[in-house]
Amino acid sequence: MRSRTAVGGDVVRTSDRILSINGLKALVKGLDLLVTTDTGPRHFAVAFDVPYVCVMGSTDPMMTDQPEARGEVVRHEPLLDCMPCHEKVCPLVHHKCSRT
């Protein structure tokens, strides 16, 4: 799905698409900016030198730090006592690291 931004650029959403790994790589390679979570597309952006914004919840950016990358990591501030837990499902059931 494509939509236009206020400044005239396209926004491509992948939530309603099924992409192969090669299709995802090609898509990321052609982007001006990627907004993602700490998943594979972020690492493709690093490999293709595509700027990115990575929203992290329960993961620790130091585990996947890419100092040479053109990216920014956004995390819950202040850090919570339970961070990082690296769990896919919140063991404390409050999901605070995923909320603003």
Side-chain angles (χ1 to χ4, degrees):
M1 173 182 205
R2 284 188 184 267
S3 59
R4 300 290 287 172
T5 66
V7 294
D10 285 335
V11 174
V12 179
R13 297 178 60 174
T14 60
S15 59
D16 56 352
R17 294 179 180 200
I18 297 175
L19 292 170
S20 66
I21 293 293
N22 286 337
L24 182 58
K25 286 185 206 176
L27 178 66
V28 170
K29 189 174 185 177
L31 295 176
D32 294 323
L33 174 70
L34 173 69
V35 178
T36 188
T37 56
D38 189 22
T39 57
R42 172 183 177 222
H43 303 286
F44 294 153
V46 171
F48 297 128
D49 198 33
V50 172
Y52 66 85
V53 174
C54 177
V55 180
M56 286 196 175
S58 65
T59 55
D60 183 352
M62 296 305 291
M63 298 287 289
T64 58
D65 188 28
Q66 299 289 333
E68 71 283 354
R70 297 190 307 149
E72 291 291 328
V73 171
V74 178
R75 294 180 79 193
H76 184 285
E77 294 290 339
L79 295 181
L80 304 169
D81 290 339
C82 57
M83 292 172 75
C85 73
H86 297 277
E87 298 293 335
K88 292 182 180 185
V89 176
C90 179
L92 302 177
V93 195
H94 58 58
H95 307 279
K96 290 180 181 177
C97 67
S98 300
R99 297 183 188 165
T100 56

